[in-house]
Amino acid sequence: MRTLEAMHRWTVTLGKSIGAALGWSLVALTVAGLVAVSLDPAAGLAPGAELIEALTRVLLNGIPLAIAILCLIALTGRPLMAAASGAAAYAALIVAGTIKLEQLGLPLLPADFRFLSAGGGATLFSHYIEPIQLILPVSLLAIAAIAVRWEPKRWRPGARTRRVLCSIAGVAGITLVTGTSGWRSTYDGWNRGFEPWSPAETVARLGVVPTLLMYHWELARPDRHPPNRDRVLEFLAEHAEAFGRMASTDGDGVLPDILVVQSESFFDPALLTGIAAEDTLPQFRRLRTQGWSGNLRVPTYAGGTIRTEFEVLSGVPLAAFPGVEYPYFELVDAPMPGLMRTLTEQGYRTTVLHPNDASFWNRRDSLARLGAERFLALPEFANAPKTGLFIADAALTDRMLAELREDGPPQFLFAISMESHGPYEVRPGLDEAVLSAIGVPDTLDEYGARTLRHYLYHLANADRELGRLAAAVQQRARPTVLVFYGDHLPGLHSAFAQLGFRDGLGPRSQPAPYLVLDNRRAEQREEDTLAWMLPALLLEAARVPPDAYLALVGALRHTPTMLLPDSAGGRPEPRFTELARLRVRDEFNLGDYTAALTPAPVVMDSNVTETPPTEEAATN
C-alpha cells in the first residue's frame, strides 16, 4: 500500500513538473515569437498574408530562441535573466546580419560562425558598427545582469521542473541542430523560399534564423565525397593532345622573381556611367600597353577576399564546391598543391606580406599549407604609416622592395594590401585638399558622393604604388615578373545603385582588372580570364614550367567552353569538377593517368599501300 501511495505521489509530482515545464515552454515560445517579430522584418506579419501563414512564420523564427531560453532557465532557474540574455543574443544576430547584408549583399551564414570562432579581425569589424546598433543588445544584457541579482525567487521554477525543462530543451536543441526529419518537415524550407544560390532573397523570405538553419542543414559542409576518378580519366583522355602541348613547354631555363600584388577593392571606375577612363588609373592604363592585361572574373563582391585569394593560389574554382563560403576554414585543412608549392619545387622561396592580423581569415595556417614559407603580417608593419583606417599601400611597396635580392634563389612575393578596405563612410587623416579635388558625378547624393570620393582617394594611391613598383621592377637587372590584380569590387552600394554600370549589369557581374609585366620584354596582350585560371596564365607569361594540373588549365583556358560549358552560371565542366576535387585532396598523381594523356598512335590499314608523293605533288 505504501508503495502504491509513493508511486501515486511521484506520478502526481512528475505530472505537475511536466505541466509546469510545458507552461514555461509556452512562455518561452511566446517571448521568442515577440522578439522575432520585433527585430526581424521577415518574421513579421506581412501585409496581405493569411493569419495561419503569418503565425507559422513567427513560430519558425522564434523556436530556436525559445529552445535557447529554456536551456538557460533549466541551467540557471532565472526566467527573466534567460529571456533577456536570449533576446540580447538574437538582437546581436540581427545586427550582425544587417551589417553583413548592407556591406556584402549576403546574410549571415553558418560559415561566419566558424570564421569568427577562429579569432582575429575584431578591429576591422569594429569599423562597420554604428554605436546606435549596440544600444538594444547592450540594454538587454544589462537587464539580464540586473535579473541575476534582483529576480524574485517566486518566479523561479523548482528543481524537478528544471530537470524536465533540461530534457525538453536538450532533445529539441540536439534534433534541431542535427536537422532530423521532423524539423526539416516543420521548416519545409524548399517550399517556403529557400534558394541556396540566392542567400539575400532567402533571408528576406524566411528570416535570419531559418536561413541559418537551412544553410546549416543543406550546405554547411563542403561536399567531400570521393572524386570520380573514371570521369577524370575520361576528361584527361579527351584533352590529351592539348595537355601534351602545354606540359611540354619547359620554359627558357630562367626562373624570374615573381611579385604578386592582390590589391584591395581595386577596380576600374570607368565601368560606371559618368566616370571617364582618363580621369582614373593613369599608371594602370599606361602599363597595360607593356604587358598582359584584361578583365578578371572573381568569385566574390565587396568582401570575402580569401575567395579570390584561394582561387589564385590554388588554381581551383570554388564553383566546384557549392556551399563553401570561406575556403581557408572549409577546404584548406591539410597541405594543398597550388602556385606556391609548384614554385617551391623549382627552388623558389615563397613569402606572403600582409599588413593585418595574421589570424584573420585563418591565413597563418592556410597560407602555410598552400606553400608559404614566410608570412610577414601586422607585427612587421608596426611602425608603418596609415592612410585612412589601414596601413598605407606605400608601406607595403616599401617592404616588398626591401625583400628583393639580386642574388640567391628566385623569390615569390605575394602581397595583400589593406589601404582601400571599406567601410568608406568615414576616413580619418586624409589630405583634404586632395580629397576635395577628386571629381565625382553630380547625380550622386551626399552619401554616395562622399563614399565614392573616399574610395577614389585610396584607389589613386594604389595606382600610384603600382607605377612605383613597376618602375623598380623594370630597373632591376634580375629577371622579374610583376602581377597586379583586384580582389573584388568595393562595397559602394549607394554609388553603384545611383550611377549604374555602362553594360547595364549589376556590381556582382563586373570584373576586376589584372596586369602582368615582365622586365625582360614588353609584350602587349589582352586576355580576359578567371581568378582560378590566373596562376596558369602567370606561369605561361613568366615562362616557368607548370605542374600537370596547371598545365591542363593553361591548355584549356584558351577555349573556355571546354572548362566552362555553362559560361553564364560559371559552373565548371562536371568532369573537371572531379579533377578539381582531386587537386584539393592532393590526390592528382599524374602517373595514374599517363596512359590517358598519351595520344593514341595512328593505326594504318594493313591492306592499304601508302604511295609516296610524286615529285609534282611534293612541289605543290
Side-chain angles (χ1 to χ4, degrees), residues 444-451 498:
L444 289 171
D445 62 17
E446 187 278 332
Y447 176 82
R450 172 162 46 91
T451 53
Q498 293 179 60

Side-chain angles (χ1 to χ4, degrees), residues 341-560:
R341 282 178 60 182
T342 296
L343 293 173
T344 299
E345 291 169 359
Q346 300 185 53
Y348 276 81
R349 296 293 177 262
T350 56
T351 301
V352 175
L353 305 92
H354 181 43
N356 195 28
D357 186 347
S359 65
F360 191 54
W361 290 131
N362 198 31
R363 274 194 174 106
R364 181 190 289 112
D365 294 337
S366 296
L367 291 173
R369 291 167 183 154
L370 284 165
E373 298 172 324
R374 300 168 64 221
F375 188 1
L376 308 181
L378 194 57
E380 302 292 336
F381 295 85
N383 299 316
K386 290 185 177 181
T387 299
L389 297 171
F390 304 105
I391 300 295
D393 283 355
L396 184 60
T397 302
D398 291 342
R399 188 56 192 261
M400 289 185 73
L401 295 176
E403 288 293 316
L404 294 177
R405 302 289 181 268
E406 292 300 329
D407 54 13
Q411 290 182 278
F412 174 80
L413 303 183
F414 185 79
I416 308 165
S417 76
M418 279 297 296
E419 180 182 330
S420 296
H421 202 293
Y424 305 104
E425 288 82 358
V426 178
R427 308 298 281 197
L430 303 187
D431 187 319
E432 290 299 328
V434 174
L435 187 65
S436 60
I438 297 174
V440 296
D442 295 336
T443 55
L444 289 171
D445 62 17
E446 187 278 332
Y447 176 82
R450 172 162 46 91
T451 53
L452 179 58
R453 189 174 282 114
H454 286 162
Y455 168 75
L456 292 175
Y457 184 104
H458 297 294
L459 182 69
N461 288 344
D463 183 66
R464 187 179 305 111
E465 292 309 309
L466 167 61
R468 185 160 76 99
L469 191 56
V473 164
Q474 290 166 341
Q475 292 170 6
R476 296 191 79 206
R478 186 164 187 164
T480 308
V481 172
L482 170 63
V483 181
F484 186 96
Y485 68 91
D487 57 351
H488 53 70
L489 268 67
L492 296 169
H493 312 295
S494 177
F496 290 165
Q498 293 179 60
L499 295 177
F501 290 87
R502 294 183 185 275
D503 61 7
L505 301 177
R508 291 183 179 277
S509 300
Q510 304 302 321
Y514 80 90
L515 173 69
V516 181
L517 295 174
D518 189 331
N519 68 354
R520 297 168 292 183
R521 64 187 72 84
E523 176 188 358
Q524 184 176 7
R525 173 170 159 181
E526 293 189 5
E527 178 183 339
D528 295 345
T529 191
L530 289 87
W532 59 274
M533 295 183 185
L534 188 61
L537 183 149
L538 184 164
L539 294 176
E540 181 182 338
R543 301 185 181 181
V544 174
D547 62 52
Y549 173 87
L550 291 177
L552 183 63
V553 173
L556 299 182
R557 77 170 202 275
H558 299 293
T559 312

Side-chain angles (χ1 to χ4, degrees), residues 141-157:
L141 282 177
I143 293 172
I146 293 171
V148 170
R149 177 68 180 82
W150 300 105
E151 188 168 351
K153 290 185 178 180
R154 65 178 180 273
W155 291 3
R156 302 178 186 179

